[in-house]
Amino acid sequence: DQQVKQNSPSLSVQEGRISILNCDYTNSMFDYFLWYKKYPAEGPTFLISISSIKDKNEDGRFTVFLNKSAKHLSLHIVPSQPGDSAVYFCAASGLGANSKLTFGKGITLSVRP
Amino acid sequence: DAGVTQSPTHLIKTRGQHVTLRCSPISGHKSVSWYQQVLGQGPQFIFQYYEKEERGRGNFPDRFSARQFPNYSSELNVNALLLGDSALYLCASSRETGIWGYTFGSGTRLTVV
């Protein structure tokens, strides 16, 4: 039973355009949502996060939006760059004893020059 | 500062054998977590340790065990290997438990033949 779902396995965008990566979750007990980026032969690298009490968090070219009523979050990358090409994982976590990360399957983003 | 170090980077084992994977956390990090990433899936939580005590366990069989040492390094042991144990095993460290600021290592690629 997947609690974090990334239903699109891949996304291809033109350099300079916006990339929108989507994620849905089913567990309403999640308190934090995170996006990780992963290159081949490397571990996941933290990108950006959002608390369940917020609906938007921005860090440079990366913005994460959270819609709690829809149990949906999205990562926007503007403008997209070829170096952004990687696998992006959406993850969710609770607090305290429930701080383990629950990951989605990941989305492969390809940014075309 | 060194990041999270995992060893070995790759190994091949035969079904039924035992394997030990090692992880050295970032200096000052007291919590270590282990994740299994099967091809095409997101990382799945196996264990979390803090101050040498198990703080969380995922839905894995008893063939999987782990421990944390006084220097906060950790070992993941898997007995009676199955073909399905073939995966990338990721270690993540954080300063405290309950805080989701995890830093991942590059992982150990285990192939069971």
Side-chain angles (χ1 to χ4, degrees):
Chain A
D1 178 29
Q2 270 204 301
Q3 297 187 61
V4 177
K5 301 178 183 180
Q6 294 178 263
N7 294 318
S8 300
S10 63
L11 175 67
S12 180
V13 300
Q14 191 75 35
E15 179 180 5
R17 305 295 289 270
I18 184 171
S19 294
I20 300 176
L21 288 71
N22 294 307
C23 178
D24 297 293
Y25 63 96
T26 58
N27 189 342
S28 57
M29 298 301 291
F30 288 138
D31 292 292
Y32 287 96
F33 302 90
L34 309 90
W35 285 92
Y36 281 82
K37 177 179 179 180
K38 187 179 185 302
Y39 293 116
E42 295 183 11
T45 303
F46 171 75
L47 200 56
I48 192 169
S49 66
I50 188 168
S51 165
S52 59
I53 63 173
K54 296 186 175 181
D55 56 16
K56 177 182 176 181
N57 187 28
E58 189 172 356
D59 184 1
R61 297 186 297 115
F62 303 92
T63 303
V64 57
F65 296 91
L66 175 63
N67 183 333
K68 283 187 65 177
S69 61
K71 293 189 173 67
H72 176 83
L73 63 153
S74 61
L75 174 67
H76 293 209
I77 306 174
V78 184
S80 301
Q81 301 173 353
D84 295 330
S85 297
V87 178
Y88 288 77
F89 290 101
C90 172
S93 174
L95 289 174
N98 297 314
S99 65
K100 67 175 185 180
L101 294 172
T102 301
F103 285 86
K105 289 186 177 182
I107 300 173
T108 300
L109 173 65
S110 299
V111 181
R112 306 185 303 273
Chain B
D1 282 344
V4 178
T5 305
Q6 292 187 243
S7 62
T9 55
H10 298 81
L11 76 164
I12 300 174
K13 290 286 189 176
T14 303
R15 277 179 298 175
Q17 284 188 318
H18 163 269
V19 69
T20 298
L21 310 181
R22 295 178 175 82
C23 172
S24 294
I26 290 173
S27 177
H29 284 195
K30 299 179 181 179
S31 180
V32 169
S33 299
W34 288 93
Y35 289 79
Q36 179 197 63
Q37 185 183 6
V38 175
L39 193 63
Q41 303 291 321
Q44 187 173 356
F45 174 73
I46 310 175
F47 287 109
Q48 183 180 55
Y49 276 78
Y50 176 73
E51 292 281 12
K52 296 174 289 180
E53 291 189 1
E54 181 183 303
R55 292 300 184 95
R57 172 185 286 254
N59 187 23
F60 280 80
D62 292 341
R63 299 185 297 107
F64 288 77
S65 64
R67 55 179 175 169
Q68 187 177 32
F69 299 99
N71 65 354
Y72 303 114
S73 66
S74 177
E75 285 183 353
L76 175 69
N77 296 284
V78 186
N79 293 322
L81 285 167
L82 304 174
L83 295 179
D85 295 331
S86 296
L88 179 68
Y89 288 84
L90 294 162
C91 173
S93 74
S94 61
R95 290 193 179 277
E96 307 286 344
T97 185
I99 295 177
W100 43 263
Y102 300 104
T103 300
F104 283 86
S106 296
T108 294
R109 171 71 63 185
L110 171 65
T111 302
V112 182
V113 297

